[in-house]
Amino acid sequence: QQQVKQSPQSLIVQKGGISIINCAYENTAFDYFPWYQQFPGKGPALLIAIRPDVSEKKEGRFTISFNKSAKQFSLHIMDSQPGDSATYFCAALNAGGTSYGKLTFGQGTILTVHP
Amino acid sequence: DAGITQSPRHKVTETGTPVTLRCHQTENHRYMYWYRQDPGHGLRLIHYSYGVKDTDKGEVSDGYSVSRSKTEDFLLTLESATSSQTSVYFCATRVGLAAAYEQYFGPGTRLTVT
């Protein structure tokens, strides 16, 4: 019930291409969906997040698409650059009750963008 | 890294020994979390704290304990280290304001149990 399933595990994209990472969740109480980006040797950092009252959120080259009925959300990276090469984690949170901001993370996707 | 330091950054220890990892924050954030990161598993929550001396278990808490005696420090103790606890450990903090859900992560501690 608390799982968040992320795919693919790894992704190789050419410079300028579109990177797409998908996540699916089961718990319908989740109501906050962030994506974190992690570079080697560093801690994860928030990239972009969405609430379920909108179907899409865009920040620069990064877009989250959200499908509430399918319980799925995805990260699209347009015009992918070698500097985007990192591990990406989706996550979900039930903001209500006594969750204390506990995030449930997906398994991670290693993105490699070739020049 | 939002003023979060972790120590040590790297540690090698033997099976059966106790190990304590420290997380220190300078931002006065209310919530603190300990995660472990393993390939194929993402980040899994070990323990978290919602205030000084207020802590609770996460999804993978067996074999770990925590303490928070001051707002700025959150300690993770492996009571008797096992090889299955070889991992990268991350501390994270959150401000504590309503609707402010971003977590800020420290640089991590790589722990090897031989």
Side-chain angles (χ1 to χ4, degrees), chain B residues 13-52:
Chain B
T13 191
E14 294 184 348
T15 297
T17 59
V19 176
T20 295
L21 308 182
R22 180 180 184 240
C23 177
H24 179 79
Q25 56 131 337
T26 60
E27 302 295 322
N28 202 37
H29 287 178
R30 176 184 175 187
Y31 297 102
M32 299 186 75
Y33 310 84
W34 275 108
Y35 294 91
R36 59 178 291 173
Q37 182 176 5
D38 305 287
H41 292 278
L43 291 146
R44 292 181 291 175
L45 183 64
I46 304 171
H47 281 280
Y48 64 99
S49 170
Y50 47 96
V52 173

Side-chain angles (χ1 to χ4, degrees), chain A residues 9 31-32 36 38 41-46 51 87 89 93 95-96 98-108, chain B residues 1 9 30-31 33 35 37-38 40-43 45 48 50 57 59 90 94 99 101-108:
Chain A
Q9 288 188 337
D31 57 1
Y32 172 75
Y36 280 77
Q38 183 183 30
K42 303 291 186 181
L46 180 66
R51 299 298 295 265
T87 300
F89 294 98
L93 175 149
T98 58
S99 69
Y100 300 113
K102 290 184 291 182
L103 288 167
T104 299
F105 283 89
Q107 295 79 5
Chain B
D1 290 333
R9 294 294 313 280
R30 176 184 175 187
Y31 297 102
Y33 310 84
Y35 294 91
Q37 182 176 5
D38 305 287
H41 292 278
L43 291 146
L45 183 64
Y48 64 99
Y50 47 96
K57 298 178 179 179
E59 62 179 301
F90 287 98
R94 185 168 79 88
Y101 301 117
E102 180 176 0
Q103 290 189 16
Y104 300 88
F105 284 80

Side-chain angles (χ1 to χ4, degrees), chain A residues 17-55:
Chain A
I18 302 173
S19 304
I20 302 174
I21 305 171
N22 301 298
C23 284
Y25 63 97
E26 299 172 354
N27 187 351
T28 55
F30 286 148
D31 57 1
Y32 172 75
F33 302 91
W35 285 88
Y36 280 77
Q37 180 188 55
Q38 183 183 30
F39 293 106
K42 303 291 186 181
L46 180 66
L47 182 64
I48 187 173
I50 196 168
R51 299 298 295 265
D53 52 343
V54 297
S55 60

